[in-house]
Amino acid sequence: MKIQLSIIASACALVYPVLGQAQTAHGESELDQVVVTATRQPVSASEALASVEVIGREEISAAGNSSLVELLSARSGIQVVSNGGAGASSSIYIRGANSGHTLVLIDGMRVGSATNGSPSLETIPLALIDRVEILRGPASALYGSDAIGGVIQIFTRKGKEGFQPSARIGFGTENSRSLEATVAGGVDRLRYSLVVGEDRTDGINARPTSYAGRDQDDDGFRNNYVNGSLTVGLRERDEIGLSVFHTDGRSWYDAGKTYDSYLDKQTDTASVYMRNQITGDWASTVKVGYSADTSHDHSTATSTSEFDTAQTQFTWQNDVALAGGSLLAAYEYLEQNVSTTTAYAKTQRNTNSLVLGWGGQFDKHSVQFNVRHDDDSQFGGETTGSAAYGYQFLPEWRVHGSIGTAFKAPTFNDLYYPLACFGSYGCFGGNADLKPEEALNREFGLVWERGATAVRATYFNNRVKNLIDWSSGIADNVATATLEGVELGLTTMVYGYRLRANVDFLEAKDKDSGNYLGRRAKESASLAIDRSTGAWTWGMELTGQGRRFDTTASNTSAKRLAGYSLLNAYVHYALARDWSVELRANNILDRDYELAQGYGTKGANAFVSLRYALH
């Protein structure tokens, strides 16, 4: 089905008459929020010529004991897949792109695996996060490789003026328990924060369908974490800061009956930066950092496979007020090293990158241009660019359009996985001659805003070529995908109730076979409502996805996953000034559904917490 632009106009015409009744005195529009990820420079969301969304600390707290993956699943343009319950390996699909086409940053630091190419979001606890920025659409012109579908940037919690200690303890179904403590604050131009905690659960049976030779017990998860930051102001507007981030997770799974198999995963980052205001119009930021992604799979008592990635990063970014706008000029260096159980032909690569960008507003017009060149020691040079234009044609109406290119470098597995042959089953291995995957995206957006109410409609068309395909057993650039869709969104305040709604339509297809890409629904939607009154805060969320196929290769009824909808709710009650009780219930209607064929999902579950936070 060809998605038509007329859907946008008809949807806006449908909701426009209702929004005039919205009350705006209770909150600011989401378009007033400051975002960084859209341009690598602080801008308000209304100035960003891209599809960007912010999940703030208030919404993160309301998510309770849910995971980051579950939190993201209710956002426009995002579909998720998990191979089991808490801590199970998960995939994030932004606008239908592959999981490895999402770039994940923590405080500006690139994280994830350079072997399988997918980020490990399932081990990042919500307790460490201050806010999440989601940039939908290709962004290689700003960030380089991997950002074909979009960017998810996680900003960790930082200290503020004063003293803000807090603690939380909680218990829930599946014998889940959580403990968290925070010490944060600041004086003069010193800021500090330290968060430590652990999460544990007995989990669910990750493979509930009867499989010969598999243990049918529950598969648990435990995760320990710590995050710290320190910033010191120098002179009037200069600053130096450092941060560390560490998570250590273990998830159990079913591989056999004689051994309780488990997977150990760690995510680490450490960075130091210095920001200097050279002149009134020129700011310089230098950052040096390190990140590591560790995965150790213990399938049996004697069999362990290891896939570890270490990334050393250096960035020098200059922001200059120039020609009525803001100029971005940056140099980046990235070195990736991998360590695996099986020896690879190469285990190290580096990338030198130059980035230029400029954006500005002129009366009712907005423009943004970006260009980036990456010189990779493995595949050579790759240049990407983007151009965007916006026009405020009426006080409440804004239109914007953009075009941009993106790419993803082959992973170490794609390039160097050792060749192995299995008789009549054929051979399996990497291909050192692979080229980067490439994308060309075009999109058009329409925004209507009045007070605290915003309506968004975005059409996108992303063509991805040179997709790396393993179906023949040997990695090769043979596939091409078409990702086309419409995203409709609404946020508003109505009589004291805050409302957020999203409806997405997606056509994600393999161009050669005509098959739909696996595990990507054609329709998805979410609806959230919440309210605060006195000591009470409560909210409800309804999310759902349409039918989809488990694999791209087989679009048959045997591989069809049924559509589903989930109802979640939460209640917070302030016992006293600094004490509160928080209750979160997910999948209240106890829906039986699948995200991946043969893998279990959580039924009705609940979690209650007691929180202390000094105000």
Side-chain angles (χ1 to χ4, degrees):
M1 178 187 69
K2 183 73 174 177
I3 298 177
Q4 302 294 330
L5 287 174
S6 60
I7 297 177
I8 298 177
S10 62
C12 289
L14 176 65
V15 298
Y16 179 84
V18 178
L19 298 179
Q21 304 171 16
Q23 303 294 312
T24 62
H26 298 277
E28 296 298 324
S29 167
E30 66 169 17
L31 297 181
D32 292 328
Q33 299 179 91
V34 174
V35 297
V36 177
T37 311
T39 60
R40 292 183 51 150
Q41 298 173 323
V43 297
S44 70
S46 61
E47 296 173 350
L49 301 177
S51 181
V52 64
E53 184 174 3
V54 180
I55 307 176
R57 184 62 209 170
E58 183 179 348
E59 290 184 73
I60 293 171
S61 296
N65 200 50
S66 301
S67 67
L68 174 59
V69 173
E70 291 171 321
L71 181 68
L72 292 170
S73 68
R75 300 294 154 162
S76 180
I78 295 181
Q79 298 185 33
V80 305
V81 172
S82 294
N83 295 338
S89 297
S90 301
S91 299
I92 302 289
Y93 304 128
I94 297 183
R95 289 184 170 178
N98 291 341
S99 178
H101 293 163
T102 297
L103 175 64
V104 176
L105 305 171
I106 297 179
D107 292 329
M109 297 291 297
R110 177 184 288 261
V111 296
S113 171
T115 54
N116 65 29
S118 297
S120 298
L121 294 175
E122 61 270 10
T123 61
I124 300 177
L126 296 179
L128 299 185
I129 302 175
D130 179 66
R131 76 180 191 278
V132 179
E133 292 185 3
I134 303 166
L135 175 60
R136 292 178 283 264
S140 288
L142 286 169
Y143 297 102
S145 178
D146 301 345
I148 286 180
V151 179
I152 295 174
Q153 180 155 202
I154 297 163
F155 294 90
T156 58
R157 296 170 67 178
K158 301 293 189 292
K160 302 177 182 178
E161 180 75 22
F163 182 52
Q164 305 102 32
S166 65
R168 180 178 66 92
I169 185 171
F171 302 91
T173 50
E174 302 160 11
N175 196 25
S176 301
R177 55 269 194 210
S178 179
L179 184 63
E180 166 202 334
T182 301
V183 177
V187 56
D188 296 327
R189 297 191 63 194
L190 171 70
R191 298 289 185 270
Y192 61 89
S193 174
L194 178 65
V195 184
V196 297
E198 68 172 10
D199 297 322
R200 297 182 182 274
T201 180
D202 290 351
I204 63 171
N205 184 3
R207 301 299 295 266
T209 306
S210 179
Y211 283 85
R214 293 186 186 274
D215 192 358
Q216 292 297 297
D217 65 341
D218 288 337
D219 301 296
F221 174 63
R222 62 97 172 135
N223 196 25
N224 301 315
Y225 55 85
V226 60
N227 174 238
S229 69
L230 178 68
T231 61
V232 180
L234 306 173
R235 299 192 304 177
E236 183 178 353
R237 298 173 64 184
D238 297 343
E239 183 178 85
I240 187 170
L242 61 89
S243 64
V244 293
F245 178 98
H246 170 74
T247 67
D248 180 5
R250 172 174 291 183
S251 57
W252 282 263
Y253 67 96
D254 297 323
K257 290 189 175 181
T258 60
Y259 185 74
D260 200 6
S261 306
Y262 61 93
L263 178 64
D264 286 337
K265 290 182 279 190
Q266 293 184 8
T267 299
D268 295 276
T269 68
S271 65
V272 58
Y273 73 89
M274 177 176 286
R275 182 177 297 117
N276 298 100
Q277 193 71 36
I278 307 299
T279 69
D281 295 329
W282 175 20
S284 170
T285 304
V286 175
K287 176 179 284 189
V288 179
Y290 171 87
S291 69
D293 182 278
T294 301
S295 177
H296 294 178
D297 188 357
H298 302 263
S299 57
T300 70
T302 58
S303 176
T304 301
S305 60
E306 300 181 0
F307 292 89
D308 301 340
T309 298
Q311 303 188 84
T312 303
Q313 304 171 58
F314 171 82
T315 301
W316 180 26
Q317 179 169 320
N318 295 272
D319 303 300
V320 184
L322 182 67
S326 181
L327 173 70
L328 163 70
Y331 165 75
E332 292 184 352
Y333 174 79
L334 171 66
E335 181 178 301
Q336 296 177 316
N337 290 272
V338 300
S339 175
T340 61
T341 307
T342 304
Y344 280 17
K346 292 186 179 180
T347 59
Q348 187 271 339
R349 67 182 175 194
N350 60 73
T351 307
N352 289 277
S353 307
L354 293 174
V355 189
L356 282 176
W358 182 81
Q361 290 185 300
F362 308 93
D363 191 23
K364 298 179 180 180
H365 306 271
S366 301
V367 293
Q368 181 72 43
F369 302 100
N370 297 293
V371 63
R372 176 177 174 125
H373 181 76
D374 293 276
D375 187 7
D376 188 286
S377 61
Q378 284 182 317
F379 61 80
E382 190 79 20
T383 300
T384 51
S386 64
Y389 170 74
Y391 179 55
Q392 190 86 33
F393 61 92
L394 288 173
E396 297 170 338
W397 288 92
R398 179 167 63 94
V399 64
H400 62 86
S402 65
I403 185 170
T405 58
F407 78 102
K408 175 177 174 56
T411 68
F412 280 87
N413 284 2
D414 294 331
L415 293 164
Y416 305 121
Y417 199 92
L419 181 66
C421 295
F422 305 93
S424 61
Y425 293 100
C427 296
F428 182 85
N431 179 357
D433 295 325
L434 289 173
K435 297 179 292 185
E437 299 172 294
E438 298 179 345
L440 173 64
N441 181 72
R442 291 141 294 188
E443 65 181 80
F444 171 84
L446 190 63
V447 178
W448 181 88
E449 182 188 18
R450 176 188 292 170
T453 299
V455 182
R456 305 168 309 283
T458 305
Y459 165 81
F460 63 88
N461 185 302
N462 195 2
R463 307 284 172 152
V464 188
K465 66 178 184 178
N466 291 334
L467 276 173
I468 297 172
D469 181 60
W470 284 77
S471 60
S472 67
I474 305 298
D476 200 4
N477 295 107
V478 297
T480 301
T482 301
L483 312 174
E484 186 180 23
V486 170
E487 299 163 349
L488 305 175
L490 162 69
T491 56
T492 189
M493 294 288 294
V494 182
Y495 304 113
Y497 293 88
R498 184 170 57 182
L499 178 69
R500 172 177 54 83
N502 300 303
V503 179
D504 297 336
F505 303 93
L506 173 68
E507 291 277 341
K509 284 187 173 183
D510 177 84
K511 184 177 180 181
D512 296 326
S513 67
N515 286 353
Y516 291 99
L517 299 186
R519 300 176 179 176
R520 272 150 275 201
K522 295 176 63 176
E523 303 92 13
S524 58
S526 67
L527 174 65
I529 185 171
D530 64 74
R531 183 174 186 177
S532 295
T533 174
W536 294 91
T537 299
W538 64 270
M540 301 187 71
E541 304 164 355
L542 180 65
T543 64
Q545 287 190 4
R547 294 183 299 176
R548 59 244 182 264
F549 297 99
D550 191 58
T551 66
T552 304
S554 179
N555 279 191
T556 63
S557 58
K559 291 292 184 179
R560 189 189 300 274
L561 299 173
Y564 68 90
S565 60
L566 303 177
L567 180 63
N568 310 319
Y570 66 90
V571 177
H572 293 183
Y573 177 70
L575 298 170
R577 174 181 170 84
D578 302 323
W579 292 89
S580 63
V581 174
E582 304 169 354
L583 172 64
R584 173 86 183 194
N586 292 324
N587 194 7
I588 295 173
L589 302 180
D590 199 25
R591 297 294 192 192
D592 185 15
Y593 66 103
E594 284 185 311
L595 296 175
Q597 198 168 61
Y599 288 90
T601 53
K602 292 191 289 187
N605 61 93
F607 197 87
V608 60
S609 303
L610 176 65
R611 183 185 298 273
Y612 167 80
L614 181 64
H615 291 84

